[in-house]
Amino acid sequence: MIRPIAPDDTTALIALVEAIGFEPHETEELALMLADHFDGKNSQDIWLTDDDDGLVGVAYVAPERMTDGTWNLYLIAVHPDRQRQGRGAALLAHVEQMLAARGERVLLVETSGLESFEYVRGFYRKSGYDEEARIREFYKAGEDKIVFRKALTALE
């Protein structure tokens, strides 16, 4: 069941991102982002979970500042034990449909250009995203950032 995240989900979400390999500093940043979300500081941000007798997936999207209808998918993750079951695709489709129903126009996704991230890039391509940009050596020397884009108006 895909549903909005609740404060009681925080511990399970932290465990999920640790299971997929988040570094400690990334996990700490995520905890701060969740705290801000629940405090209402980022009121437009949307956090969703895939709850199957416990949190097994998460998606986080937020509007791009100073744009009209452009959103960023900052996080989508499924627990390693539950991957390759269509859960990530279901979460992504839910986000897209929800944003399209609200009249939003574009969803952007950023990911690494490293070879080890080819499966991630393939996931977005298969989900109808086009590679829009590559920023060389963005994350660190030798690691590009690749930006994917999907028009949401086509989903209406």
Side-chain angles (χ1 to χ4, degrees):
M1 171 180 74
I2 297 174
R3 62 170 176 78
I5 199 164
D8 291 347
D9 295 320
T10 301
T11 301
L13 176 58
I14 297 301
L16 169 73
V17 298
E18 288 174 341
I20 63 169
F22 270 42
E23 298 292 327
H25 71 277
E26 295 169 320
T27 303
E28 290 171 18
E29 179 67 25
L30 186 67
L32 292 172
M33 292 166 58
L34 281 170
D36 285 349
H37 173 74
F38 292 126
D39 288 345
K41 292 180 183 171
N42 295 320
S43 61
Q44 293 186 44
D45 295 4
I46 300 170
W47 291 81
L48 299 170
T49 66
D50 179 355
D51 188 341
D52 186 12
D53 292 325
L55 191 142
V56 297
V58 63
Y60 166 55
V61 294
E64 179 67 34
R65 293 178 182 175
M66 299 171 57
T67 67
D68 178 22
T70 301
W71 284 65
N72 289 290
L73 176 68
Y74 287 115
L75 173 65
I76 188 166
V78 174
H79 193 282
D81 294 343
R82 305 303 286 274
Q83 292 178 356
R84 305 218 182 265
Q85 299 174 359
R87 292 183 178 278
L91 268 169
L92 184 58
H94 187 91
V95 166
E96 293 169 354
Q97 291 164 2
M98 179 184 60
L99 292 174
R102 293 170 49 150
E104 309 301 353
R105 299 178 313 104
V106 175
L107 184 57
L108 301 175
V109 182
E110 300 173 1
T111 190
S112 171
L114 292 176
E115 185 62 34
S116 60
F117 279 77
E118 179 53 39
Y119 77 98
V120 175
R121 295 188 300 275
F123 169 77
Y124 291 119
R125 286 185 200 103
K126 191 166 38 171
S127 299
Y129 287 76
D130 295 315
E131 185 175 322
E132 189 72 11
R134 176 182 293 259
I135 303 170
R136 293 179 306 230
E137 301 193 343
F138 179 84
Y139 295 108
K140 61 184 176 185
E143 186 176 0
D144 298 350
K145 172 169 78 171
I146 299 178
V147 181
F148 286 88
R149 176 189 184 275
K150 187 172 190 178
L152 299 173
T153 53
L155 302 175
E156 297 179 299

